[in-house]
Amino acid sequence: MGETTTPASADGTSRATDSAIAIAAIAVLIISYCVNAMDRTLFPLMLTDVRREFGFSLPQGGLLSTVFTLGMTLAGVPTGYLMSRYSRKTVIQIGILIYSAATVITVIATGFADMLVYRTITGVGEAMQLTALLAVFSSYFSRHRATGVGLLNYAYAGGAAIGPWLGAKLLVAYGTWRAPMIIFGVIGLAMMVLIAAVVQPHLSESKGEETAKAASGGAASLTNLNTTVLAVLSVLFGLSLYGYLGMYPTFLREALHYAPADAGRVMSIYGLGVLVSLASGWLGDRFSPRLVLGLSFLVASAIAAVLFNGPTDFATQAALSFALGATFSGTIFVNLAACHVKSVTANLAGRASGLFVSCVYGSATVAGYVIGRIASLSGWTVAGNVQLVALCLIGAAISLFLRPQDMSKRTTA
């Protein structure tokens, strides 16, 4: 009897060890994306100080704030192909190296042109990391892909909450926008080392369908109706999301005359709204994407209407930002990303993720410039109504063209 219990005990210990290693690796990957989100939210908060030093116009500032998404657009689809040749872990680390180094180098910019280049390069690295992470989480959690992406999106919630708060603290403490940029870049480089030490290939390279056969169905190529509709929705979403993220801090500081610390707190509260990601991913796994995405775009339109047309006090703006964070980054982002993967067969997960990244961040490239141009011509109210309210209404209508019956479905292992 002793001979039969010993192997069972050893097997149980081995499984517990493997589970602990997997949990640690997942935690590290989530933290690494948290740093990515911190880096993305930092520059918009610094923008007023950068404009004051260099004399950039409002549209120029808007372009600098969101041009990193051009790099994300250019890198999204190629990264999907890159992962067919190299490990996802390697792609994640290279991505972190690129955007962290570019963030630090931004502080030596001498004018608009070279700063534009540095900001674009940060997006290349961020896209590489995000595309690989989406593939990792949607494959590892292959039975519940939207929930898996929702779990990853908790990292964005943390980064979007911590980044503006910490950035504002460092800005006040050091009296220069360069100090937060350098410190955030160093944090990113440290994450590379941590990933190398903790994340094992059996997790980062997991092909969920090979071990659990958790999903069946989906189109055999990216040229299908659902992917086309989702690509259009992703473009509209990128314009709306980064019209807000790229220029809303400037709106708070220059139109509503908020102090840097108050603007940072409002943006941090937006990040807290993203904490609904896990719940919204659970809903996305159980209900029609037409319903989940259609209602989410409709709700986002209503929130944006009040945000730019209603009360300007801190409490109201903070509450609306929280609600928009829950709807935009907490619900629409999660379910758009998951639906892109669900719309195709499992072996196309990396390319579908790359397409999602390219569509969202392709439109986001010009989002800051467009809303800045509209605001300079017609005021912030008109800019918000055009780029957030109207585009979200259009997105709600286009969601009705999705065909959930053609997407991949969960099956019993």
Side-chain angles (χ1 to χ4, degrees):
M1 182 166 301
E3 292 179 357
T4 59
T5 57
T6 300
S9 175
D11 187 56
T13 302
S14 177
R15 285 198 299 270
T17 301
D18 289 343
S19 296
I21 292 173
I23 291 171
I26 289 169
V28 168
L29 291 176
I30 289 174
I31 294 171
S32 77
Y33 188 49
C34 177
V35 174
N36 184 316
M38 288 169 57
D39 191 83
R40 268 190 254 174
T41 58
L42 177 64
F43 191 81
L45 188 65
M46 305 292 113
L47 184 56
T48 295
D49 301 274
V50 173
R51 288 183 59 216
R52 185 181 299 121
E53 178 176 333
F54 289 92
F56 298 147
S57 67
L58 190 60
Q60 283 180 314
L63 183 59
L64 283 171
S65 184
T66 59
V67 75
F68 75 93
T69 57
L70 173 61
M72 298 192 79
T73 305
L74 297 175
V77 172
T79 299
Y81 286 91
L82 191 65
M83 285 188 291
S84 66
R85 297 178 59 87
Y86 301 98
S87 73
R88 295 166 181 170
K89 176 180 175 180
T90 298
V91 173
I92 289 169
Q93 290 176 291
I94 293 173
I96 295 174
L97 173 63
I98 291 172
Y99 79 71
S100 298
T103 297
V104 173
I105 293 173
T106 300
V107 305
I108 67 172
T110 58
F112 181 76
D114 59 339
M115 187 175 291
L116 201 66
V117 171
Y118 301 145
R119 293 293 300 153
T120 302
I121 293 173
T122 63
V124 173
E126 288 170 359
M128 292 178 68
Q129 182 191 11
L130 174 58
T131 302
L133 285 174
L134 287 173
V136 169
F137 278 74
S138 63
S139 296
Y140 191 76
F141 298 96
S142 54
R143 295 189 191 180
H144 308 280
R145 283 172 172 159
T147 307
V149 176
L151 178 62
L152 174 63
N153 213 37
Y154 265 50
Y156 184 87
I162 296 171
W165 170 80
L166 180 58
K169 288 283 188 182
L170 294 171
L171 177 63
V172 173
Y174 288 92
T176 172
W177 61 272
R178 290 178 172 81
M181 302 287 286
I182 294 172
I183 292 171
F184 277 42
V186 171
I187 292 173
L189 295 174
M191 285 307 307
M192 280 184 59
V193 178
L194 191 58
I195 290 173
V198 176
V199 178
Q200 301 299 315
H202 75 271
L203 183 141
S204 63
E205 314 314 311
S206 170
K207 310 290 185 184
E209 69 281 356
E210 294 176 1
T211 56
K213 300 187 184 299
S216 64
S221 75
L222 294 179
T223 55
N224 64 85
L225 176 62
N226 280 329
T227 297
T228 300
V229 173
L230 289 166
V232 173
L233 289 175
S234 299
V235 168
L236 294 174
F237 177 59
L239 281 169
S240 300
L241 174 65
Y242 278 90
Y244 169 83
L245 290 178
M247 292 300 284
Y248 181 65
T250 303
F251 164 69
L252 290 176
R253 293 188 62 181
E254 298 186 13
L256 303 188
H257 307 293
Y258 279 36
D262 289 334
R265 279 195 288 269
V266 172
M267 294 306 296
S268 294
I269 291 170
Y270 171 92
L272 294 178
V274 188
L275 292 174
V276 306
S277 294
L278 203 58
S280 68
W282 180 86
L283 291 172
D285 281 326
R286 283 156 179 77
F287 296 98
S288 166
R290 282 189 294 195
L291 176 65
V292 175
L293 288 173
L295 283 178
S296 298
F297 272 109
L298 197 61
V299 170
S301 178
I303 295 170
V306 181
L307 192 74
F308 286 95
N309 296 270
T312 61
D313 62 281
F314 178 88
T316 301
Q317 290 291 312
L320 291 170
S321 292
F322 174 85
L324 198 61
T327 309
F328 264 177
S329 296
T331 303
I332 297 177
F333 182 92
V334 168
N335 285 287
L336 273 179
C339 284
H340 269 277
V341 175
K342 290 179 182 178
S343 66
V344 296
T345 53
N347 62 303
L348 293 175
R351 296 182 188 181
S353 297
L355 178 63
F356 165 71
V357 170
S358 288
C359 288
V360 170
Y361 297 106
S363 59
T365 300
V366 297
Y369 178 84
V370 171
I371 195 169
R373 172 61 67 184
I374 298 173
S376 65
L377 294 174
S378 305
W380 283 102
T381 298
V382 173
N385 288 339
V386 170
Q387 196 155 328
L388 276 78
V389 179
L391 291 186
C392 287
L393 282 176
I394 295 172
I398 293 177
S399 299
L400 299 176
F401 290 93
L402 288 169
R403 294 174 59 87
Q405 66 271 24
D406 294 336
M407 293 183 177
S408 62
K409 300 172 180 63
R410 293 180 293 124
T411 60
T412 303

